[in-house]
Amino acid sequence: MRADVRPAPLATNQDLDPVRLRQSFGVFPSGVVAVAAEVEDRLVGLAASSFTSVSLDPPLVSVSVANGSRTWPDLRRAGGLGLTVLAEHHAPLCRQLAGPVADRFDGIAVTVADSGAVTIPEGLARFDCTVYREVEAGDHTIVLLRLHAVEDDSEADAPGAPLVFHRSGFGGVAPGAPAPGAMTPPAHRPGPE
């Protein structure tokens, strides 16, 4: 049976208010990643809530970086970039990565790969990658990153909960908690079907 459908077109407005857009975009929760590298013997990084998986073959992910970023020009020169999927307890770290450039890694334990990729050991997933392509997109640049190595905590006894950015604030989710009314996926059965 079809639900009651009533025509209610969205109001067309070619002069979209950036504040209203940011508020509307903010209703969509997203995970947060740290993007970091060692550049000329110093740690450089930023936090991004625009991380997206793109392709399995070749293995690609993307982040969006504001065109006015003062950090991205340094990061893009790095031989390798590290992406760390931040856990719920990383909210203070995320704020620190958005703070003054000189203080972003104060007191933060990191791992530096031979490529220069910098990751945070307690992250839920860690990726070593290089810039594959950059696409201009309005006031941001979509950066496609090719993955070269990956680690995650999915095999851990108690994998952590991700840090979530929602409505301009940080929160988390309960791992494995179903949404109200959600269906439980069927159990996996090994072997041919």
Side-chain angles (χ1 to χ4, degrees), residues 3-32:
D4 185 25
V5 178
R6 297 180 187 149
L10 296 173
T12 302
N13 180 352
Q14 297 303 314
D15 243 358
L16 295 173
D17 174 30
V19 173
R20 180 66 188 260
L21 277 174
R22 182 180 296 271
Q23 180 182 19
S24 295
F25 292 163
V27 302
F28 184 75
S30 59
V32 184

mmCIF file of all heavy atoms in Angstrom, residues 3-32:
data_model
loop_
_atom_site.group_PDB
_atom_site.id
_atom_site.type_symbol
_atom_site.label_atom_id
_atom_site.label_comp_id
_atom_site.label_asym_id
_atom_site.label_seq_id
_atom_site.Cartn_x
_atom_site.Cartn_y
_atom_site.Cartn_z
ATOM 1 N N ALA A 3 1.927 5.123 0.646
ATOM 2 C CA ALA A 3 1.679 6.169 1.641
ATOM 3 C C ALA A 3 0.984 7.345 0.964
ATOM 4 O O ALA A 3 1.054 7.531 -0.244
ATOM 5 C CB ALA A 3 2.997 6.622 2.252
ATOM 6 N N ASP A 4 0.326 8.135 1.772
ATOM 7 C CA ASP A 4 -0.345 9.327 1.272
ATOM 8 C C ASP A 4 0.712 10.298 0.740
ATOM 9 O O ASP A 4 1.565 10.770 1.485
ATOM 10 C CB ASP A 4 -1.147 9.971 2.402
ATOM 11 C CG ASP A 4 -1.959 11.155 1.923
ATOM 12 O OD1 ASP A 4 -2.284 11.209 0.721
ATOM 13 O OD2 ASP A 4 -2.256 12.030 2.759
ATOM 14 N N VAL A 5 0.682 10.572 -0.559
ATOM 15 C CA VAL A 5 1.664 11.445 -1.187
ATOM 16 C C VAL A 5 1.001 12.766 -1.537
ATOM 17 O O VAL A 5 -0.021 12.795 -2.208
ATOM 18 C CB VAL A 5 2.244 10.802 -2.473
ATOM 19 C CG1 VAL A 5 3.225 11.732 -3.142
ATOM 20 C CG2 VAL A 5 2.881 9.473 -2.145
ATOM 21 N N ARG A 6 1.607 13.826 -1.048
ATOM 22 C CA ARG A 6 1.087 15.163 -1.336
ATOM 23 C C ARG A 6 2.190 15.979 -1.982
ATOM 24 O O ARG A 6 3.310 16.008 -1.485
ATOM 25 C CB ARG A 6 0.652 15.848 -0.046
ATOM 26 C CG ARG A 6 -0.477 15.121 0.630
ATOM 27 C CD ARG A 6 -0.887 15.826 1.888
ATOM 28 N NE ARG A 6 -1.866 14.989 2.563
ATOM 29 C CZ ARG A 6 -2.027 14.932 3.849
ATOM 30 N NH1 ARG A 6 -1.284 15.667 4.634
ATOM 31 N NH2 ARG A 6 -2.934 14.150 4.369
ATOM 32 N N PRO A 7 1.883 16.652 -3.090
ATOM 33 C CA PRO A 7 2.917 17.466 -3.724
ATOM 34 C C PRO A 7 3.289 18.640 -2.816
ATOM 35 O O PRO A 7 2.438 19.388 -2.367
ATOM 36 C CB PRO A 7 2.269 17.946 -5.023
ATOM 37 C CG PRO A 7 0.812 17.661 -4.905
ATOM 38 C CD PRO A 7 0.620 16.671 -3.799
ATOM 39 N N ALA A 8 4.551 18.718 -2.487
ATOM 40 C CA ALA A 8 5.056 19.816 -1.662
ATOM 41 C C ALA A 8 6.478 20.116 -2.113
ATOM 42 O O ALA A 8 7.442 19.675 -1.488
ATOM 43 C CB ALA A 8 5.013 19.439 -0.186
ATOM 44 N N PRO A 9 6.601 20.830 -3.214
ATOM 45 C CA PRO A 9 7.943 21.094 -3.727
ATOM 46 C C PRO A 9 8.750 21.947 -2.752
ATOM 47 O O PRO A 9 8.194 22.768 -2.019
ATOM 48 C CB PRO A 9 7.692 21.831 -5.037
ATOM 49 C CG PRO A 9 6.336 22.444 -4.879
ATOM 50 C CD PRO A 9 5.565 21.504 -3.981
ATOM 51 N N LEU A 10 10.077 21.712 -2.759
ATOM 52 C CA LEU A 10 10.962 22.552 -1.963
ATOM 53 C C LEU A 10 10.963 23.947 -2.569
ATOM 54 O O LEU A 10 10.921 24.099 -3.789
ATOM 55 C CB LEU A 10 12.382 21.992 -1.964
ATOM 56 C CG LEU A 10 12.562 20.633 -1.308
ATOM 57 C CD1 LEU A 10 13.995 20.133 -1.551
ATOM 58 C CD2 LEU A 10 12.293 20.719 0.174
ATOM 59 N N ALA A 11 11.006 24.940 -1.724
ATOM 60 C CA ALA A 11 11.066 26.306 -2.228
ATOM 61 C C ALA A 11 12.388 26.518 -2.958
ATOM 62 O O ALA A 11 13.445 26.147 -2.462
ATOM 63 C CB ALA A 11 10.938 27.286 -1.064
ATOM 64 N N THR A 12 12.324 27.073 -4.137
ATOM 65 C CA THR A 12 13.533 27.335 -4.919
ATOM 66 C C THR A 12 14.090 28.688 -4.505
ATOM 67 O O THR A 12 13.385 29.672 -4.434
ATOM 68 C CB THR A 12 13.217 27.346 -6.426
ATOM 69 O OG1 THR A 12 12.655 26.080 -6.764
ATOM 70 C CG2 THR A 12 14.464 27.585 -7.242
ATOM 71 N N ASN A 13 15.372 28.691 -4.219
ATOM 72 C CA ASN A 13 16.032 29.927 -3.823
ATOM 73 C C ASN A 13 17.455 29.868 -4.353
ATOM 74 O O ASN A 13 18.265 29.107 -3.870
ATOM 75 C CB ASN A 13 16.018 30.068 -2.293
ATOM 76 C CG ASN A 13 16.699 31.340 -1.841
ATOM 77 O OD1 ASN A 13 17.307 32.043 -2.636
ATOM 78 N ND2 ASN A 13 16.599 31.623 -0.563
ATOM 79 N N GLN A 14 17.763 30.651 -5.342
ATOM 80 C CA GLN A 14 19.097 30.639 -5.922
ATOM 81 C C GLN A 14 20.122 31.338 -5.039
ATOM 82 O O GLN A 14 21.305 31.230 -5.265
ATOM 83 C CB GLN A 14 19.071 31.290 -7.312
ATOM 84 C CG GLN A 14 18.209 30.541 -8.302
ATOM 85 C CD GLN A 14 18.654 29.092 -8.458
ATOM 86 O OE1 GLN A 14 19.827 28.806 -8.591
ATOM 87 N NE2 GLN A 14 17.703 28.170 -8.431
ATOM 88 N N ASP A 15 19.676 32.058 -4.037
ATOM 89 C CA ASP A 15 20.560 32.760 -3.112
ATOM 90 C C ASP A 15 20.621 31.994 -1.793
ATOM 91 O O ASP A 15 20.168 32.486 -0.771
ATOM 92 C CB ASP A 15 20.000 34.166 -2.859
ATOM 93 C CG ASP A 15 20.920 35.248 -3.330
ATOM 94 O OD1 ASP A 15 22.001 34.913 -3.822
ATOM 95 O OD2 ASP A 15 20.550 36.422 -3.206
ATOM 96 N N LEU A 16 21.159 30.777 -1.803
ATOM 97 C CA LEU A 16 21.188 29.952 -0.610
ATOM 98 C C LEU A 16 22.116 30.565 0.433
ATOM 99 O O LEU A 16 23.275 30.874 0.148
ATOM 100 C CB LEU A 16 21.631 28.533 -0.955
ATOM 101 C CG LEU A 16 20.670 27.763 -1.864
ATOM 102 C CD1 LEU A 16 21.285 26.436 -2.269
ATOM 103 C CD2 LEU A 16 19.344 27.543 -1.170
ATOM 104 N N ASP A 17 21.607 30.710 1.623
ATOM 105 C CA ASP A 17 22.352 31.309 2.723
ATOM 106 C C ASP A 17 23.375 30.308 3.259
ATOM 107 O O ASP A 17 23.013 29.198 3.657
ATOM 108 C CB ASP A 17 21.347 31.689 3.820
ATOM 109 C CG ASP A 17 21.991 32.193 5.086
ATOM 110 O OD1 ASP A 17 23.087 32.788 5.003
ATOM 111 O OD2 ASP A 17 21.394 31.999 6.153
ATOM 112 N N PRO A 18 24.685 30.663 3.290
ATOM 113 C CA PRO A 18 25.717 29.738 3.775
ATOM 114 C C PRO A 18 25.482 29.263 5.210
ATOM 115 O O PRO A 18 25.776 28.114 5.531
ATOM 116 C CB PRO A 18 27.010 30.549 3.671
ATOM 117 C CG PRO A 18 26.734 31.597 2.657
ATOM 118 C CD PRO A 18 25.260 31.901 2.774
ATOM 119 N N VAL A 19 24.937 30.114 6.064
ATOM 120 C CA VAL A 19 24.664 29.712 7.446
ATOM 121 C C VAL A 19 23.583 28.636 7.460
ATOM 122 O O VAL A 19 23.695 27.623 8.145
ATOM 123 C CB VAL A 19 24.252 30.927 8.309
ATOM 124 C CG1 VAL A 19 23.798 30.489 9.694
ATOM 125 C CG2 VAL A 19 25.400 31.927 8.395
ATOM 126 N N ARG A 20 22.550 28.820 6.665
ATOM 127 C CA ARG A 20 21.463 27.841 6.577
ATOM 128 C C ARG A 20 21.964 26.541 5.964
ATOM 129 O O ARG A 20 21.596 25.452 6.388
ATOM 130 C CB ARG A 20 20.309 28.433 5.762
ATOM 131 C CG ARG A 20 19.129 27.510 5.605
ATOM 132 C CD ARG A 20 18.452 27.252 6.952
ATOM 133 N NE ARG A 20 17.451 26.249 6.866
ATOM 134 C CZ ARG A 20 16.152 26.487 6.784
ATOM 135 N NH1 ARG A 20 15.706 27.711 6.794
ATOM 136 N NH2 ARG A 20 15.307 25.493 6.706
ATOM 137 N N LEU A 21 22.814 26.656 4.942
ATOM 138 C CA LEU A 21 23.377 25.456 4.333
ATOM 139 C C LEU A 21 24.194 24.659 5.346
ATOM 140 O O LEU A 21 24.046 23.442 5.453
ATOM 141 C CB LEU A 21 24.272 25.820 3.145
ATOM 142 C CG LEU A 21 23.587 26.063 1.824
ATOM 143 C CD1 LEU A 21 24.586 26.550 0.793
ATOM 144 C CD2 LEU A 21 22.885 24.815 1.347
ATOM 145 N N ARG A 22 25.062 25.344 6.089
ATOM 146 C CA ARG A 22 25.887 24.664 7.097
ATOM 147 C C ARG A 22 24.995 23.965 8.128
ATOM 148 O O ARG A 22 25.252 22.832 8.520
ATOM 149 C CB ARG A 22 26.815 25.660 7.792
ATOM 150 C CG ARG A 22 27.737 25.009 8.806
ATOM 151 C CD ARG A 22 28.648 26.021 9.470
ATOM 152 N NE ARG A 22 29.562 26.646 8.552
ATOM 153 C CZ ARG A 22 30.772 26.172 8.262
ATOM 154 N NH1 ARG A 22 31.202 25.080 8.837
ATOM 155 N NH2 ARG A 22 31.552 26.796 7.419
ATOM 156 N N GLN A 23 23.923 24.642 8.526
ATOM 157 C CA GLN A 23 22.987 24.058 9.494
ATOM 158 C C GLN A 23 22.318 22.815 8.898
ATOM 159 O O GLN A 23 22.203 21.782 9.566
ATOM 160 C CB GLN A 23 21.936 25.109 9.871
ATOM 161 C CG GLN A 23 20.905 24.631 10.860
ATOM 162 C CD GLN A 23 19.866 25.720 11.139
ATOM 163 O OE1 GLN A 23 19.700 26.670 10.378
ATOM 164 N NE2 GLN A 23 19.171 25.575 12.232
ATOM 165 N N SER A 24 21.902 22.889 7.644
ATOM 166 C CA SER A 24 21.249 21.742 7.006
ATOM 167 C C SER A 24 22.231 20.603 6.770
ATOM 168 O O SER A 24 21.897 19.434 6.974
ATOM 169 C CB SER A 24 20.618 22.175 5.678
ATOM 170 O OG SER A 24 19.574 23.089 5.913
ATOM 171 N N PHE A 25 23.459 20.915 6.329
ATOM 172 C CA PHE A 25 24.471 19.872 6.149
ATOM 173 C C PHE A 25 24.776 19.195 7.476
ATOM 174 O O PHE A 25 25.088 18.008 7.527
ATOM 175 C CB PHE A 25 25.767 20.452 5.583
ATOM 176 C CG PHE A 25 25.681 20.947 4.153
ATOM 177 C CD1 PHE A 25 26.655 21.795 3.670
ATOM 178 C CD2 PHE A 25 24.649 20.583 3.309
ATOM 179 C CE1 PHE A 25 26.608 22.260 2.363
ATOM 180 C CE2 PHE A 25 24.585 21.047 1.996
ATOM 181 C CZ PHE A 25 25.574 21.885 1.526
ATOM 182 N N GLY A 26 24.691 19.947 8.567
ATOM 183 C CA GLY A 26 25.046 19.437 9.891
ATOM 184 C C GLY A 26 24.104 18.387 10.442
ATOM 185 O O GLY A 26 24.435 17.719 11.423
ATOM 186 N N VAL A 27 22.925 18.218 9.837
ATOM 187 C CA VAL A 27 22.021 17.182 10.340
ATOM 188 C C VAL A 27 22.494 15.789 9.944
ATOM 189 O O VAL A 27 22.018 14.794 10.481
ATOM 190 C CB VAL A 27 20.551 17.389 9.889
ATOM 191 C CG1 VAL A 27 20.027 18.733 10.338
ATOM 192 C CG2 VAL A 27 20.386 17.206 8.391
ATOM 193 N N PHE A 28 23.437 15.724 9.007
ATOM 194 C CA PHE A 28 23.975 14.435 8.590
ATOM 195 C C PHE A 28 25.218 14.128 9.419
ATOM 196 O O PHE A 28 26.221 14.836 9.316
ATOM 197 C CB PHE A 28 24.344 14.463 7.095
ATOM 198 C CG PHE A 28 24.820 13.140 6.580
ATOM 199 C CD1 PHE A 28 23.931 12.107 6.336
ATOM 200 C CD2 PHE A 28 26.166 12.912 6.362
ATOM 201 C CE1 PHE A 28 24.375 10.884 5.869
ATOM 202 C CE2 PHE A 28 26.617 11.694 5.894
ATOM 203 C CZ PHE A 28 25.712 10.676 5.648
ATOM 204 N N PRO A 29 25.184 13.112 10.262
ATOM 205 C CA PRO A 29 26.356 12.800 11.083
ATOM 206 C C PRO A 29 27.479 12.196 10.244
ATOM 207 O O PRO A 29 27.220 11.480 9.273
ATOM 208 C CB PRO A 29 25.830 11.772 12.089
ATOM 209 C CG PRO A 29 24.639 11.171 11.435
ATOM 210 C CD PRO A 29 24.076 12.201 10.500
ATOM 211 N N SER A 30 28.687 12.516 10.601
ATOM 212 C CA SER A 30 29.826 11.955 9.879
ATOM 213 C C SER A 30 30.940 11.623 10.849
ATOM 214 O O SER A 30 31.045 12.215 11.921
ATOM 215 C CB SER A 30 30.331 12.933 8.812
ATOM 216 O OG SER A 30 30.718 14.150 9.398
ATOM 217 N N GLY A 31 31.759 10.661 10.453
ATOM 218 C CA GLY A 31 32.931 10.330 11.234
ATOM 219 C C GLY A 31 33.986 11.408 11.068
ATOM 220 O O GLY A 31 33.849 12.320 10.248
ATOM 221 N N VAL A 32 35.043 11.305 11.849
ATOM 222 C CA VAL A 32 36.104 12.302 11.810
ATOM 223 C C VAL A 32 37.440 11.581 11.662
ATOM 224 O O VAL A 32 37.686 10.571 12.323
ATOM 225 C CB VAL A 32 36.118 13.160 13.094
ATOM 226 C CG1 VAL A 32 37.167 14.257 13.001
ATOM 227 C CG2 VAL A 32 34.738 13.760 13.361
#
